Amino acid sequence: MTDRCQLNLRLDGRRDLLETIKGVAAAEGLSVNAWVIRTLEVAANQAMSEPTPQPQAQVSEISDIEPVLDGLLDTKLDTLLAAKLAGIEERLGKLRA
């Protein structure tokens, strides 16, 4: 007797996919079950034969990024503040004149 394994697959909201699978399986002379098993085997074998992705370099710690962000923000804020103050001084100059 064969060992029976079962996978229940819900296709909620994907009746179109189910109908496509039924049509493809019938066109290939397979049951839906046989077609799905073959398709899963092919996909699993492809995944196993692909090289294992290497872990990406670890992202810098926050303590490494913080000084860079502080510098960028300080420069941006200094520029904005200088422009704002120049506008205020210009308006004050016009009021005094």
Side-chain angles (χ1 to χ4, degrees):
M1 180 176 246
T2 52
D3 182 31
R4 183 174 179 136
C5 297
Q6 189 167 338
L7 170 67
N8 295 324
L9 181 63
R10 289 180 25 202
L11 298 173
D12 295 343
R14 295 300 314 265
R15 182 165 299 281
D16 60 323
L17 179 58
L18 177 60
E19 296 306 320
T20 300
I21 291 169
K22 286 179 179 179
V24 171
E28 294 181 18
L30 298 170
S31 68
V32 170
N33 189 63
W35 186 87
V36 169
I37 288 172
R38 188 193 64 188
T39 303
L40 291 173
E41 283 176 334
V42 169
N45 288 334
Q46 285 177 345
M48 294 300 288
S49 66
E50 293 176 2
T52 305
Q54 298 298 317
Q56 295 181 354
Q58 185 176 359
V59 177
S60 298
E61 295 291 323
I62 290 177
S63 59
D64 295 338
I65 298 171
E66 196 170 11
V68 175
L69 291 176
D70 284 345
L72 290 171
L73 288 173
D74 283 347
T75 302
K76 183 73 172 172
L77 290 173
D78 288 347
T79 303
L80 290 171
L81 186 57
K84 205 56 141 163
L85 287 174
I88 291 171
E89 288 175 354
E90 183 181 328
R91 284 193 298 250
L92 283 174
K94 288 180 182 177
L95 288 174
R96 292 182 183 150

